[in-house]
Amino acid sequence: MQFKHAPAAVSAVFDDPNLVSAAGLVPMLRLAQRAGLAQLAQVRLSVPTDRGANAGSKVMALVAGMLAGADSIDDMNLIRHGGMGRLFDRTYAPSTLGSFLREFRFGHVRQLDAVASRVLANLTVDTPLLRANDDARVMVDLDDTIIEVHGYQKQGASFGYSGVRGLNALLATASTTSSAPVVLAQRLRQGKTGSPKGAARIVGDALATLRRTGVAAGARPLLRADSAFYGYATIGTAITAGADVSVTVRMDPAVRAAIATIPEDAWTMIEYTDSIRDESTGQLISKAEVAEVPFTAFRSRRKAERIEGRLVVRRIPDLNPNKVEQPTLFDVYRHHAFFTTTSNDDMGTVVADKTHRGHAIIEQVHADLKNGPLAHLPSGVFTANSAWLVLAVIAFNLTRAAGVIADHTGRLTRATTATIRRTLIHVPARLARSARRITLHLPKAWPWQTAFARLFAITHAPPPVALA
């Protein structure tokens, strides 16, 4: 591609009041409105003083800015250009939205958590965000991540387990084999906070939200987590709430003793990283093997708090690259074990191991959020940043719903937020008004015209007629 005009023949003037750079906000905000975001925020948020007035409209404005790509308060000017004032009402100034967030206290953040939970439940009513058959499980993944910050004015920022100065965000997501993850619950914590702190509350909130959606009415959901969350508080909460668990365990003496009881003929070869298949026999050529043994977790606690399950162990040869020419006399293995309460009939050893390794999908959600609204935590006030995290999660779930509506079976159903923003939201348009109607003139031959048209038509359809 080459520029076809002489430089002197081209000029740029910012003078058209009828242009918008993100016409996709029209169906996106209609989707948010149908999910009840503004109404829920207006009713449930009790932010004090005049800065908390019109909470529903301000929450909608903040989410709209995040959908358009804002990752700071100043970026909220994205909703105040060209013809945006003709398309939308109450496009607040960034200073007004910043003052609104700084008035939040922890109780208001919890109120916003309740709004986010109910918005997700409303989205699943008309949108198959989590598609699961009667015998399929919904995977609930739990993990935290450090959001890096700079400067000394951020409340709660400190050096955590990663050695990076930042704040700790704990997320719980839900996904199925045919659906991309959505965020069920979230919490912002101090940077030095240990991973398991408050995890039981998040698990309870996440499973309550999942029940509210009605998706997990069939098989029991499965909570997956790493070894940082191997504790009675987290696992006990999940089981009490009606979920199974699949949690990596630490190599303590009890686990090592259980692994030592596994007979040598019980190990099964699995398809693992860099495995290859023998063309003549069809067997996998791999050094990774799995086996399982019955296991009782938390045996040091009272009998009512002990949890029966099985320990699934994966072993990999522990090869010393400096001693390849003189290998050890006996095979030495590295063991990775996780505790699960699923039955062997529902999930065999190999399937359980493969399912547990799928826990890494939550890292994609972390990366997605950090490439968007969580690229920065914009305020020096901790509770304002906590509210920012909840709003970022609401925007994330809205993009997931938009992708499913616009492209039922295509790649947009599992696309990242950046792809949804590029294809469905960042669509330039020119506004034309006639007979009290507004027409959005969009680019001809837009590559994703069909998907945008489907999203626009469905979100602007009248609500279904209520039956008596």
Side-chain angles (χ1 to χ4, degrees):
M1 179 182 290
Q2 295 181 353
F3 193 63
K4 64 184 294 185
H5 300 285
V10 178
S11 61
V13 180
F14 292 89
D15 63 351
D16 197 325
N18 296 315
L19 292 180
V20 294
S21 64
L25 285 179
V26 175
M28 292 300 300
L29 293 191
R30 287 284 299 176
L31 181 62
Q33 194 171 358
R34 287 165 63 105
L37 175 57
Q39 183 179 2
L40 286 167
Q42 186 66 34
V43 171
R44 290 187 168 270
L45 285 180
S46 59
V47 181
T49 74
D50 59 332
R51 296 176 179 178
N54 301 317
S57 298
K58 291 175 181 177
V59 165
M60 286 285 283
L62 286 162
V63 170
M66 292 178 177
L67 290 171
D71 59 19
S72 67
I73 293 295
D74 288 341
D75 285 351
M76 290 297 160
N77 273 318
L78 282 168
I79 62 176
R80 289 168 59 85
H81 68 274
M84 296 293 281
R86 300 185 181 184
L87 278 177
F88 307 106
D89 186 24
R90 293 181 177 178
T91 53
Y92 291 98
S95 58
T96 302
L97 299 176
S99 299
F100 171 66
L101 289 177
R102 286 189 293 272
E103 286 297 318
F104 272 68
R105 299 297 178 262
F106 179 73
H108 303 128
V109 177
R110 291 294 290 157
Q111 291 173 350
L112 195 58
D113 286 338
V115 171
S117 173
R118 284 157 178 79
V119 167
L120 178 60
N122 292 340
L123 284 173
T124 58
V125 172
D126 299 322
T127 306
L129 272 178
L130 292 171
R131 298 183 296 274
N133 299 326
D134 294 337
D135 56 344
R137 289 179 181 264
V138 177
M139 304 299 169
V140 178
D141 293 295
L142 179 70
D143 202 2
D144 60 343
T145 186
I146 298 296
I147 304 173
E148 185 176 8
V149 300
H150 304 277
Y152 297 95
Q153 302 301 317
K154 300 281 187 182
Q155 291 181 352
S158 55
F159 293 94
Y161 59 82
S162 65
V164 174
R165 181 182 178 85
L167 293 169
N168 186 299
L170 178 61
L171 299 179
T173 65
S175 61
T176 65
T177 55
S178 57
S179 302
V182 295
V183 181
L184 295 176
Q186 61 288 316
R187 185 67 51 80
L188 189 67
R189 308 178 295 177
Q190 293 185 7
K192 63 182 179 181
T193 301
S195 295
K197 183 178 180 180
R201 173 65 65 85
I202 288 291
V203 169
D205 291 348
L207 294 175
T209 299
L210 187 62
R211 287 194 302 271
R212 193 174 288 119
T213 64
V215 177
R220 291 163 62 94
L222 179 65
L223 174 70
R224 301 184 294 194
D226 57 31
S227 60
F229 302 96
Y230 180 69
Y232 177 76
T234 304
I235 294 178
T237 299
I239 292 176
T240 302
D244 284 321
V245 299
S246 179
V247 183
T248 305
V249 299
R250 294 177 288 274
M251 286 295 169
D252 57 25
V255 172
R256 294 183 183 276
I259 294 175
T261 64
I262 301 176
E264 188 62 30
D265 59 356
W267 296 96
T268 303
M269 193 79 70
I270 63 169
E271 184 176 358
Y272 195 57
T273 306
D274 298 329
S275 298
I276 59 175
R277 191 174 296 277
D278 190 301
E279 295 182 358
S280 58
T281 64
Q283 295 181 346
L284 291 173
I285 302 175
S286 171
K287 292 296 184 180
E289 300 171 310
V290 292
E292 70 172 68
V293 62
F295 188 76
T296 302
F298 317 118
R299 283 182 291 182
S300 62
R301 304 182 71 91
R302 57 193 179 94
K303 185 175 294 185
E305 295 178 347
R306 299 172 187 174
I307 301 175
E308 300 290 337
R310 52 191 178 128
L311 194 69
V312 179
V313 187
R314 182 173 70 253
R315 72 177 187 180
I316 305 170
D318 191 4
L319 301 178
N320 190 335
N322 298 324
K323 297 181 180 180
V324 175
E325 297 180 357
Q326 296 180 346
T328 58
L329 182 61
F330 302 100
D331 290 334
V332 180
Y333 294 94
R334 288 182 288 116
H335 295 91
H336 306 268
F338 64 92
F339 173 74
T340 180
T341 58
T342 58
S343 67
N344 192 278
D345 295 334
D346 294 337
M347 197 174 290
T349 307
V350 175
V351 175
D353 176 75
K354 186 175 182 179
T355 301
H356 181 75
R357 280 187 278 143
H359 169 64
I361 194 174
I362 194 173
E363 299 295 342
Q364 300 176 8
V365 178
H366 291 163
D368 197 319
L369 288 170
K370 289 181 179 179
N371 287 333
L374 296 190
H376 304 91
L377 288 173
S379 179
V381 180
F382 180 80
T383 48
N385 289 328
S386 298
W388 184 269
L389 171 63
V390 182
L391 294 168
V393 165
I394 294 174
F396 175 84
N397 289 338
L398 284 171
T399 58
R400 295 269 57 81
V404 172
I405 293 173
D407 195 9
H408 293 296
T409 58
R411 70 186 187 95
L412 293 183
T413 59
R414 307 183 72 89
T416 63
T417 300
T419 300
I420 298 295
R421 188 178 295 126
R422 183 179 66 251
T423 56
L424 300 178
I425 299 176
H426 282 174
V427 187
R430 178 174 58 84
L431 276 60
R433 303 184 65 176
S434 176
R436 297 183 181 180
R437 296 176 62 88
I438 293 180
T439 302
L440 296 175
H441 291 275
L442 306 171
K444 186 177 180 180
W446 184 254
W448 303 277
Q449 175 179 339
T450 302
F452 182 91
R454 184 182 295 115
L455 175 63
F456 191 92
I458 292 177
T459 55
H460 280 71
V465 178
L467 299 178

